[in-house]
Amino acid sequence: AQSVTQPDIHITVSEGASLELRCNYSYGATPYLFWYVQSPGQGLQLLLKYFSGDTLVQGIKGFEAEFKRSQSSFNLRKPSVHWSDAAEYFCAVGATGGFKTIFGAGTRLFVKA
Amino acid sequence: DTAVSQTPKYLVTQMGNDKSIKCEQNLGHDTMYWYKQDSKKFLKIMFSYNNKELIINETVPNRFSPKSPDKAHLNLHINSLELGDSAVYFCASSQGRGGQTEAFFGQGTRLTVV
């Protein structure tokens, strides 16, 4: 069965600074990987996804993530954070042929002025 | 046009009551889900339907009963509500197998049991 770990419960960065949110997954084959964002009082919205091919994936809102098989990681990055990026970020992993997507516990991002 | 809509957005009710949450998607997707998000933001799948067939039924008390009258609708009925049922419930949909495709989420229903 697949699993996903987000080691950081919360992270605080200054506006304009770079951001990296960590995600580690466990799955026997090549996983389907996702990053979602949840703004307060809202549902989850997909930022980006990785299925195969180029290991550096571009998403919406200036986010990107890099798949590293050797480290079982799929970290999310943004070069310059905006105050509107403050939200909860979820990494998720899905299985080939499966219906279930497993979500990490989430990382809450705080942005300070 | 809202892609995945849930009603109501807020639900406050007393212990022991029965309540329903409705979900509709207009994306033409064939798979729909119910997730529960607890106070620590942990998101756990409860049920999934594919073409009106129940395909995921996690360890959920049988007080929770999903119903899918058609591919575009998935409702959640909860009997004999308990304090521990307080959470945010999200409906979602996807095209095809959920583990391999993007899910579209509703705005959530915040259920408070008092």
Side-chain angles (χ1 to χ4, degrees):
Chain A
Q2 68 269 38
S3 66
V4 59
T5 302
Q6 293 180 248
D8 304 305
I9 297 173
H10 54 80
I11 282 183
T12 300
V13 299
S14 298
E15 192 169 16
S18 63
L19 170 70
E20 182 169 28
L21 301 182
R22 296 183 293 164
C23 172
N24 293 98
Y25 69 89
S26 173
Y27 183 60
T30 300
Y32 290 74
L33 295 163
F34 309 84
W35 274 101
Y36 287 85
V37 61
Q38 183 182 22
S39 298
Q42 301 295 315
L44 280 70
Q45 179 187 20
L46 182 74
L47 285 175
L48 47 79
K49 58 189 176 187
Y50 172 79
F51 293 161
S52 64
D54 193 345
T55 56
L56 186 62
V57 181
Q58 301 298 320
I60 62 171
K61 306 184 181 188
F63 285 92
E64 66 178 27
E66 186 171 11
F67 171 61
K68 292 186 177 179
R69 184 189 301 276
S70 61
Q71 298 176 19
S72 297
S73 69
F74 188 57
N75 294 348
L76 182 71
R77 301 194 294 248
K78 186 169 185 177
S80 177
V81 168
H82 188 262
W83 64 266
S84 60
D85 293 324
E88 191 87 25
Y89 290 81
F90 292 93
C91 182
V93 60
T96 304
F99 280 92
K100 193 183 298 187
T101 300
I102 302 298
F103 286 82
T107 297
R108 180 70 188 271
L109 174 64
F110 297 94
V111 180
K112 60 182 181 181
Chain B
D1 237 9
T2 304
V4 181
S5 59
Q6 301 177 223
T7 53
K9 188 167 183 178
Y10 300 97
L11 187 52
V12 181
T13 188
Q14 290 188 324
M15 277 196 310
N17 283 352
D18 303 338
K19 290 293 178 185
S20 292
I21 306 172
K22 296 187 175 182
C23 179
E24 176 182 7
Q25 55 96 1
N26 62 7
L27 297 167
H29 290 165
D30 56 7
T31 307
M32 295 186 72
Y33 313 82
W34 279 110
Y35 284 88
K36 179 180 180 181
Q37 186 175 49
D38 63 23
S39 58
K40 295 186 178 178
K41 299 291 187 180
F42 185 68
L43 199 64
K44 189 177 189 310
I45 191 166
M46 300 173 68
F47 302 103
S48 177
Y49 274 76
N50 177 255
N51 287 316
K52 300 196 300 174
E53 180 186 350
L54 182 64
I55 53 170
I56 294 176
N57 185 353
E58 293 294 286
T59 309
V60 176
N62 57 16
R63 298 182 294 103
F64 290 79
S65 54
K67 282 191 174 49
S68 181
D70 55 57
K71 279 173 39 172
H73 296 84
L74 180 61
N75 304 322
L76 183 65
H77 187 75
I78 315 170
N79 289 326
S80 303
L81 278 154
E82 300 177 357
L83 293 176
D85 297 331
S86 296
V88 181
Y89 292 84
F90 286 101
C91 177
S93 72
S94 69
Q95 183 58 36
R97 293 180 174 269
Q100 302 172 203
T101 60
E102 169 188 1
F104 291 77
F105 284 79
Q107 287 205 315
T109 296
R110 182 175 293 277
L111 171 65
T112 304
V113 183
V114 297

